[in-house]
Amino acid sequence: MIRNYLFLFLFLICTQSFAQFVVKGKVTDSATGDPIPFASVLLKGSTVGISTDFEGNYILEARSLTDSITVSYLGYITAVKALQQVAEQTVNFQLKPSDFEMEAFVFEAGENPAFEVIRQAVDRKKDFDKREIPAYQTKNYTKIEIDIDHVSEEFTRRKAVQKVTAVLDSIKQLTNDEGEKILPVFFSETLSKYYFRSNPELRKEVVEKTKVTGVGITDGSTTSQITGSAFQEYNFYRNWLSIVGKEFVSPIADGWKQFYDYDLLDSVLVGKDSCYLLKVYPLREQDLAFTGTIWINKETYALKQVDLTIPKEANLNFIERIKIQQEMTPTSAGPLIPTKTRVQIKIGQITPKTAGLLAKFYMSADSIQIGEPQPKSFFNQQVTLSPGYDDATEEFWKDNRQDILTEEEIAVLQMVDTLKRIPIVRFFSEGLKFFGTGYLDVGKIDLGPWPGFFNVNNIEGVRLGMGFRTNIKFSPKWLFSGYMGYGFKDEELKYTASVTRILDRMHWTSISLSTQKEIDQVGLEISSLEGNSVFLAASRFGTLRRPYFSRLHKLNFQREFFKGFLMYSDMSFLKFDPLYDFYYLEKGTGEYKSSFETTEAKFGLRYGRDEVILINDNQRTSLGPLRWPIFDLSYAKGMRWLGGDISYSKLNLYIYQRLNVGMFGVSRYEFDAAKVFGEVPYPIMKNHLGNETLFYTSAAFNTMNFNEFASDQYASLRYRHYFEGFLLNKVPLVKKLKWRGVANANILFGSVNQKNIDNAPTVDPDGNPIETFGRLDPNIPYVELGYGIENIFKFLRIDFFHRITYLDNPGAKPFAVKISGQFIL
């Protein structure tokens, strides 16, 4: 018995002498409510401390407590809170952002010690870049929240806004650190499997489950394709990272010394790894570069984690801040894969009477598997939706989401669900969607497009029109569309009707039949300007140039065999009925003809190795290529024996590419070459698009007149370069305006076969002169060079063009000024 009491006494003494105090809590950003990882938590007046994890949580254990605890982190005001002398307590912190000041670090002798750390990290990039893994797959969880921020009193006094806030008063209000209300408008969660192979470099995301709720969101299938992790790629082992359509240089880019300076702050323990802690900041505050901290493993020189910000001084519009936090984990193959990434994009108020926007993205990856690559055919579509992707219950999400929702996020969900049902909100959100897409969603059909509702020109006078198309709620396999317009001057009815059958959505396969009676213009055909709706709509006002009635019937088939490789073919029957003085000499008879018909079969191949394609409702939408060019090769045959008046062949090659040229900006080029074989009237040839309007368009030669040149064989190169502030950022007074330089170079070689010159008479049968077409000298190219400034008042762009050749042509203008408006970041 005595021995038992003795053991109990010794146990109590030992436990008392080694008793620990536990302080735990969470550190968040007071302005956004988001966690702050990697913050330093320290018992004041001691050396006992710890860092917060990626979710901002900390658990600090100590044998004794001081009177207070302090939390500090770069870019935030240090906070201190009092402690109680109790065994366990919870102390949460909300840190307020501070103005980040970039300091100049002076080293008395020798090289900056941080440079050697960065040099070693850059030299070993290939060892840790995940693109070096032949193939891997992960299970990903993605969460996106979008809020209306800076909801000021002036904004809430608006009548429409008051109707909204009155309804929301019963819900827990979310505010930032200044007490201003935040209105959440979108929230999504996605569970997916992500696949990657390096040779060739291909990616695919299979969305297994997704939950999307948002104001104005009507088509969950389209939205679900872009809310996963496929569009949240942030790899700091690339030299350049694409964010919001801009290219930002990585702190460990190959040319790091041209963009960054560094300071070696400390040597710290992150998990089990000893790491260098470095502060990075751009040499020029307006460059598209990061500022913040990075952790580099002392043994391997691999990135461990990053906390970086793109400050509001950078040459960006409307954006006050972009913040990226990332934690990386080594794989069994060696390279690193980001396992947790958090991104915040804060967009400021355009005017004091408007509101700002705050977008938050969170991605986590687990179940990393390194293995054999999936076959290339597996990657045909970059994003696919699993059956039943949107039918998960709340119980499913509770069991399967990798991170539980916070109280604030639960309040966000409740507010978004309420907000999207408010009539005035639905009215404005549908109105914006109508303006942006051209169509108004009315149940199973969409009405539009609105640019075709009203036009005025010299042929039709006042023209009114209305159209529709069915959407995916009508059918995921059938698409019907139609349009009718009437001109009160020519008293003619115009129409378009089509039916499309989608045979396969995975290997996109469709067949369609269409018929049309419409007014077109030579060189301004609707079919060639469908992607330039503003220029097309403007061209249908005022005086129509070389107008003609087009009666067109077409049968089209297309199929994507593997990712990026699309085959298309069509059979078309066209009647060209001119509304201006037009004649051509018919081959063989030499008779004057004022109209003609063609029967044309066309076959084409299109290949975009990394072109991003979304299935938008019942249509394919291209988001463009990332790095590789898009090739389009087609062959068309006009056949007299199937009812056409003319026999001919056309061969056409088109190439488009976007080029990132590093610190010099971004370039885009389009190469277009074609040849027409056979004797044809000039409307069948290529009538090069000129631009006599005040407005700039990349689709035209901006110093060329309308219908100035036509060719039956040609090659053109159109090159556009965006300096992204590279030049003007260095001009002391101009750089504050955030203007950006642009440059253009357009070159065209072309010619016309003598037979096609001869069949275009210069006089009509009565001997009256008629207008035909201009020709290029095969040895002299058409050249125009341009330069300009964009981002004037964050909207306006002015281009100055010089015409270099063919200055003696009638009406030729050696110099032109073009303006355009654009909302760019």
Side-chain angles (χ1 to χ4, degrees):
M1 179 69 68
I2 296 175
R3 181 177 295 180
N4 290 340
Y5 279 116
L6 181 61
F7 279 130
L8 178 60
F9 177 73
L10 291 174
F11 173 77
L12 291 174
I13 291 176
C14 290
T15 54
Q16 183 68 30
S17 62
F18 290 97
Q20 290 185 330
F21 292 93
V22 177
V23 185
K24 61 183 178 179
K26 187 166 188 172
V27 181
T28 57
D29 185 312
S30 64
T32 66
D34 290 307
I36 300 176
F38 326 135
S40 176
V41 183
L42 188 70
L43 291 179
K44 192 173 182 180
S46 76
T47 58
V48 179
I50 198 170
S51 296
T52 57
D53 64 16
F54 198 80
E55 306 307 323
N57 299 310
Y58 73 91
I59 299 177
L60 191 151
E61 298 179 351
R63 293 184 181 181
S64 62
L65 295 180
T66 60
D67 63 347
S68 58
I69 188 170
T70 178
V71 173
S72 60
Y73 192 62
L74 188 67
Y76 291 88
I77 299 172
T78 299
V80 181
K81 285 191 175 183
L83 291 176
Q84 301 175 9
Q85 297 297 317
V86 296
E88 185 172 324
Q89 58 191 302
T90 300
V91 182
N92 296 322
F93 287 86
Q94 296 80 38
L95 299 187
K96 292 185 177 182
S98 65
D99 292 330
F100 182 79
E101 302 256 342
M102 291 188 295
E103 303 172 6
F105 292 89
V106 180
F107 298 93
E108 294 183 359
E111 184 185 52
N112 181 343
F115 285 3
E116 180 57 25
V117 178
I118 296 296
R119 189 177 292 114
Q120 291 283 354
V122 172
D123 288 345
R124 301 186 188 185
K125 280 170 61 174
K126 290 196 73 173
D127 296 337
F128 302 109
D129 189 344
K130 63 181 181 178
R131 293 174 295 170
E132 297 298 319
I133 303 175
Y136 69 85
Q137 69 180 66
T138 59
K139 186 175 181 180
N140 292 359
Y141 171 73
T142 309
K143 184 167 53 182
I144 300 176
E145 178 186 338
I146 300 177
D147 309 318
I148 295 178
D149 192 23
H150 287 310
V151 185
S152 61
E153 288 299 322
E154 193 170 4
F155 181 75
T156 56
R157 281 198 294 266
R158 294 183 174 186
K159 267 186 184 177
V161 178
Q162 286 178 345
K163 293 179 181 179
V164 175
T165 54
V167 176
L168 295 176
D169 281 343
S170 60
I171 302 175
K172 177 186 175 182
Q173 292 294 321
L174 303 172
T175 60
N176 61 18
D177 61 315
E178 298 169 351
E180 296 175 342
K181 293 179 180 178
I182 294 174
L183 292 179
V185 293
F186 180 89
F187 191 86
S188 72
E189 294 181 275
T190 302
L191 283 171
S192 62
K193 286 185 178 177
Y194 183 81
Y195 300 85
F196 172 86
R197 66 172 290 165
S198 61
N199 187 23
E201 190 171 313
L202 297 170
R203 298 170 178 81
K204 180 168 183 172
E205 182 176 28
V206 179
V207 175
E208 296 185 322
K209 295 294 179 183
T210 182
K211 182 171 64 173
V212 176
T213 181
V215 176
I217 303 299
T218 56
D219 177 22
S221 65
T222 303
T223 309
S224 296
Q225 292 177 73
I226 60 175
T227 54
S229 57
F231 294 91
Q232 314 300 330
E233 173 77 1
Y234 305 100
N235 182 4
F236 285 92
Y237 279 94
R238 287 184 177 273
N239 287 329
W240 296 85
L241 286 80
S242 181
I243 308 172
V244 294
K246 300 290 185 180
E247 300 289 338
F248 296 84
V249 62
S250 168
I252 56 169
D254 291 340
W256 53 274
K257 241 182 180 180
Q258 302 174 48
F259 302 96
Y260 286 103
D261 206 347
Y262 307 81
D263 183 46
L264 182 57
L265 297 179
D266 203 353
S267 178
V268 296
L269 194 65
V270 180
K272 297 180 179 179
D273 298 322
S274 181
C275 297
Y276 294 112
L277 175 62
L278 293 96
K279 176 181 175 182
V280 306
Y281 49 96
L283 292 175
R284 295 166 294 275
E285 63 180 10
Q286 287 200 318
D287 281 357
L288 299 185
F290 299 95
T291 185
T293 50
I294 60 176
W295 289 255
I296 294 177
N297 189 300
K298 292 181 71 173
E299 182 179 347
T300 65
Y301 291 92
L303 273 180
K304 179 68 177 178
Q305 55 196 27
V306 304
D307 189 353
L308 298 169
T309 300
I310 300 165
K312 62 183 178 181
E313 289 81 13
N315 196 332
L316 292 169
N317 289 331
F318 315 119
I319 291 180
E320 291 185 358
R321 182 178 63 176
I322 299 176
K323 187 176 184 65
I324 299 179
Q325 299 163 326
Q326 193 172 82
E327 191 173 74
M328 280 152 280
T329 300
T331 63
S332 58
L336 311 174
I337 288 182
T339 47
K340 291 186 178 181
T341 303
R342 185 180 292 108
V343 179
Q344 298 174 14
I345 300 176
K346 190 176 180 66
I347 300 176
Q349 297 164 282
I350 298 176
T351 69
K353 295 184 179 181
T354 61
L357 206 66
L358 179 63
K360 307 177 187 178
F361 306 85
Y362 173 81
M363 292 77 66
S364 64
D366 63 10
S367 304
I368 301 170
Q369 297 180 26
I370 309 296
E372 291 298 316
Q374 295 283 353
K376 288 187 287 186
S377 59
F378 175 78
F379 297 89
N380 272 1
Q381 192 173 321
Q382 182 162 336
V383 182
T384 60
L385 304 176
S386 298
Y389 69 92
D390 58 350
D391 61 2
T393 64
E394 185 54 39
E395 288 300 317
F396 171 87
W397 285 104
K398 286 181 180 178
D399 295 337
N400 289 276
R401 63 169 60 100
Q402 295 179 15
D403 302 282
I404 63 171
L405 297 182
T406 64
E407 287 186 13
E408 289 78 10
E409 289 169 336
I410 294 172
V412 164
L413 273 171
Q414 183 185 8
M415 189 174 288
V416 172
D417 283 335
T418 303
L419 193 63
K420 68 182 183 181
R421 291 194 292 266
I422 300 174
I424 189 69
V425 173
R426 293 181 61 186
F427 174 79
F428 279 107
S429 62
E430 289 299 322
L432 287 173
K433 185 177 179 183
F434 175 52
F435 180 78
T437 66
Y439 284 88
L440 178 66
D441 186 345
V442 183
K444 295 182 178 181
I445 66 169
D446 302 333
L447 299 179
W450 63 261
F453 289 170
F454 177 82
N455 299 105
V456 181
N457 56 65
N458 63 314
I459 301 296
E460 300 171 286
V462 174
R463 167 175 165 156
L464 301 179
M466 177 65 73
F468 80 97
R469 69 184 182 191
T470 60
N471 54 44
I472 200 168
K473 287 177 281 187
F474 175 84
S475 171
K477 296 182 178 180
W478 290 96
L479 174 62
F480 297 91
S481 66
Y483 172 83
M484 273 194 177
Y486 182 79
F488 288 88
K489 182 178 179 180
D490 65 354
E491 299 181 340
E492 287 280 355
L493 182 69
K494 293 88 180 175
Y495 61 82
T496 300
S498 71
V499 56
T500 301
R501 176 72 162 93
I502 301 172
L503 303 172
D504 185 352
R505 299 179 77 92
M506 181 64 69
H507 296 270
W508 187 264
T509 308
S510 66
I511 185 169
S512 63
L513 181 65
S514 63
T515 183
Q516 172 184 288
K517 177 187 175 184
E518 188 54 274
I519 288 185
D520 253 328
Q521 303 172 71
V522 175
L524 283 166
E525 283 80 8
I526 296 172
S527 59
S528 62
L529 289 175
E530 286 179 344
N532 202 325
S533 57
V534 174
F535 188 74
L536 176 61
S539 71
R540 303 188 73 83
F541 283 86
T543 301
L544 302 187
R545 295 164 176 83
R546 300 192 179 182
Y548 65 94
F549 260 116
S550 166
R551 290 172 175 83
L552 177 65
H553 312 289
K554 180 183 287 188
L555 176 66
N556 173 270
F557 174 81
Q558 60 177 326
R559 177 174 175 80
E560 185 179 48
F561 286 94
F562 55 87
K563 178 175 171 54
F565 185 76
L566 181 76
M567 182 274 288
Y568 59 92
S569 62
D570 57 58
M571 176 70 75
S572 60
F573 304 87
L574 169 70
K575 182 176 181 181
F576 179 90
D577 191 3
L579 299 173
Y580 69 102
D581 289 335
F582 164 79
Y583 291 94
Y584 78 99
L585 296 174
E586 187 179 43
K587 182 180 180 181
T589 67
E591 294 181 4
Y592 282 87
K593 293 279 189 175
S594 60
S595 65
F596 60 84
E597 297 183 12
T598 63
T599 300
E600 182 180 282
K602 186 176 183 180
F603 177 81
L605 298 172
R606 176 186 173 91
Y607 180 61
R609 176 172 172 174
D610 61 358
E611 184 178 15
V612 179
I613 299 289
L614 291 183
I615 307 301
N616 180 19
D617 208 344
N618 283 333
Q619 299 172 333
R620 284 166 53 93
T621 300
S622 172
L623 301 184
L626 300 176
R627 293 174 52 225
W628 297 92
I630 294 174
F631 298 90
D632 195 317
L633 178 66
S634 65
Y635 174 78
K637 176 67 176 177
M639 296 169 287
R640 182 175 291 175
W641 57 275
L642 273 179
D645 295 329
I646 306 162
S647 178
Y648 61 89
S649 297
K650 282 185 182 180
L651 186 63
N652 182 238
L653 172 65
Y654 173 81
I655 304 173
Y656 167 80
Q657 188 175 14
R658 179 181 184 271
L659 299 171
N660 174 25
V661 288
M663 63 186 296
F664 299 103
V666 176
S667 293
R668 290 178 173 88
Y669 74 83
E670 296 174 81
F671 175 79
D672 188 19
K675 181 174 178 60
V676 179
F677 302 89
E679 190 174 328
V680 297
Y682 73 82
I684 294 179
M685 298 190 299
K686 176 68 173 181
N687 290 265
H688 303 291
L689 183 59
N691 182 12
E692 296 180 36
T693 72
L694 178 62
F695 304 103
Y696 167 76
T697 174
S698 61
F701 292 91
N702 284 279
T703 57
M704 185 185 291
N705 295 325
F706 288 119
N707 303 115
E708 186 174 355
F709 297 107
S711 304
D712 59 21
Q713 61 178 2
Y714 69 91
S716 68
L717 178 65
R718 310 165 58 75
Y719 186 86
R720 308 186 296 277
H721 185 76
Y722 305 83
F723 287 99
E724 299 287 8
F726 167 69
L727 297 175
L728 300 182
N729 277 357
K730 299 175 175 61
V731 181
L733 296 178
V734 176
K735 70 179 183 179
K736 296 296 183 183
L737 301 173
K738 295 189 176 181
W739 289 358
R740 304 167 192 166
V742 294
N744 292 268
N746 300 323
I747 303 173
L748 169 66
F749 284 90
S751 64
V752 181
N753 187 286
Q754 188 60 45
K755 291 181 179 179
N756 290 328
I757 297 173
D758 295 340
N759 75 18
T762 57
V763 295
D764 63 16
D766 298 326
N768 300 313
I770 57 174
E771 192 176 355
T772 58
F773 62 91
R775 305 185 301 276
L776 291 160
D777 186 324
N779 300 310
I780 302 176
Y782 179 90
V783 180
E784 65 179 19
L785 302 177
Y787 51 89
I789 296 174
E790 65 177 357
N791 208 38
I792 302 172
F793 305 119
K794 299 183 179 181
F795 173 74
L796 189 64
R797 169 174 169 167
I798 300 178
D799 284 90
F800 306 92
F801 284 92
H802 295 270
R803 179 165 168 163
I804 308 302
T805 56
Y806 295 95
L807 298 175
D808 296 331
N809 273 23
K813 299 180 180 64
F815 179 73
V817 179
K818 304 291 180 180
I819 64 171
S820 57
Q822 53 188 357
F823 283 103
I824 55 176
L825 295 178

